[in-house]
């Protein structure tokens, strides 16, 4: 079955860190760009970060510049998001999303169920 | 950043209605636009990519059109399963951005 499952969300204090993981199955993980997309409560989705299939290229939203890092382990079909210096406004459901073979073709044809990150004191 | 503006924000309709949602980009995005459907507590689901290409498995009552800065999503005959929130998303330029959403409600 083609599936993405996110792990690692939870409650963290402002300034803290969290690492999200996304386990992929049912497709050739290394062939596809992968993104993290977040959605704050009651808001629309916000694209956060993308990484190419090889891991050589990454692009991000300015809102996470210098604080978040994306990576992938193609041998384990797993995507990661390291989140540092977390802010209250980072509170959201974080989705792992499958992109295209071409990193710049940025639409998402498979999404995980999401993991909730709450930043609060 | 490219701003995506959807209209209307809320749409009240009945089963069988033809429904049209508009998405406008703040600058030209060629045809690099996708449409998604989202139901409460669920992840978005891809309906349309490259402005008018129907994703595999999506019913043919959904269609997309437009290029440049103006785009539309049309549901030809609204079904009970279609009551949801719809988002457009541009992927012409980083950062990729979404519209604010259009909620399709039961009239």
């Amino acid at each position: 079955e083609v599936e993405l499952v996110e792990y690692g969300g939870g409650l963290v204090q402002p300034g803290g860190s969290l690492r999200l993981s996304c386990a992929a199955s049912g497709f050739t993980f290394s062939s596809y760009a992968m993104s993290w997309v977040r959605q704050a409560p009651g808001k629309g989705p916000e694209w956060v970060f993308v990484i190419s299939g090889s891991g050589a290229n990454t692009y991000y939203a300015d809102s996470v510049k210098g604080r978040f890092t994306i990576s992938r382990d193609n041998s384990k079909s797993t995507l990661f998001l390291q989140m540092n210096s977390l802010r209250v406004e980072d509170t959201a459901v974080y989705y792992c999303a499958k992109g295209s073979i071409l990193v710049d073709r940025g639409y998402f044809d498979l999404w995980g169920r999401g993991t909730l990150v709450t930043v609060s004191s | 950043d490219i701003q995506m503006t959807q209209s209307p924000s809320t749409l009240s309709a009945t089963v069988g209605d033809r429904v049209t949602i508009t998405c406008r980009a703040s600058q030209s995005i060629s045809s690099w636009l996708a449409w998604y459907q989202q139901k409460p507590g669920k992840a978005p689901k891809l309906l349309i990519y490259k402005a008018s290409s129907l994703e595999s498995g999506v019913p043919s009552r959904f269609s997309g059109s437009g290029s440049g800065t103006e785009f539309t999503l049309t549901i030809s005959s609204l079904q009970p399963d279609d009551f949801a929130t719809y988002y457009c998303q541009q992927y012409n330029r980083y950062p990729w951005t979404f519209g604010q959403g259009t909620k399709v409600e039961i009239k």
Side-chain angles (χ1 to χ4, degrees):
Chain A
E1 182 184 3
V2 180
E3 190 179 31
L4 298 170
V5 180
E6 300 93 340
Y7 302 93
L11 175 63
V12 61
Q13 292 187 337
S17 297
L18 213 53
R19 189 192 198 205
L20 306 183
S21 302
C22 169
S25 59
F27 63 98
T28 305
F29 182 71
S30 60
S31 293
Y32 294 91
M34 296 294 296
S35 281
W36 288 98
V37 179
R38 67 185 181 183
Q39 189 167 27
K43 302 294 185 181
E46 177 192 14
W47 170 78
V48 173
F49 234 125
V50 65
I51 185 168
S52 61
S54 67
N57 301 104
T58 63
Y59 303 91
Y60 53 84
D62 281 348
S63 57
V64 304
K65 182 180 180 180
R67 302 187 299 123
F68 290 12
T69 303
I70 195 171
S71 61
R72 64 192 296 161
D73 184 340
N74 285 343
S75 68
K76 296 181 179 179
S77 296
T78 304
L79 176 72
F80 302 99
L81 184 68
Q82 178 66 45
M83 304 186 293
N84 299 329
S85 302
L86 281 161
R87 305 168 179 168
V88 170
E89 55 265 35
D90 294 319
T91 295
V93 174
Y94 283 73
Y95 294 102
C96 168
K98 173 181 167 284
S100 173
I101 290 175
L102 299 175
V103 66
D104 289 341
R105 294 297 175 259
Y107 61 88
F108 314 114
D109 61 2
L110 178 67
W111 297 63
R113 294 184 180 179
T115 187
L116 176 62
V117 173
T118 303
V119 185
S120 174
S121 55
Chain B
D1 297 3
I2 297 175
Q3 306 302 316
M4 306 300 292
T5 304
Q6 291 182 231
S7 60
S9 296
T10 305
L11 187 160
S12 297
T14 58
V15 172
D17 282 353
R18 181 181 181 87
V19 167
T20 299
I21 298 168
T22 298
C23 176
R24 289 185 173 88
S26 60
Q27 60 185 266
S28 177
I29 59 169
S30 185
S31 295
W32 304 121
L33 183 100
W35 288 98
Y36 301 87
Q37 176 194 69
Q38 188 176 33
K39 296 182 178 179
K42 302 293 186 181
K45 173 188 173 184
L46 178 67
L47 300 174
I48 302 282
Y49 62 95
K50 206 176 177 184
S52 60
S53 296
L54 190 68
E55 171 69 353
S56 176
V58 174
S60 59
R61 64 180 179 272
F62 291 92
S63 63
S65 64
S67 66
T69 61
E70 188 152 339
F71 302 85
T72 59
L73 173 70
T74 300
I75 308 172
S76 60
S77 178
L78 196 66
Q79 298 303 301
D81 191 47
D82 301 339
F83 291 97
T85 300
Y86 294 83
Y87 295 97
C88 62
Q89 178 233 335
Q90 69 81 19
Y91 52 99
N92 180 66
R93 182 172 295 186
Y94 296 108
W96 299 330
T97 48
F98 289 82
Q100 83 282 10
T102 295
K103 185 176 183 180
V104 177
E105 297 183 328
I106 300 173
K107 190 171 183 179

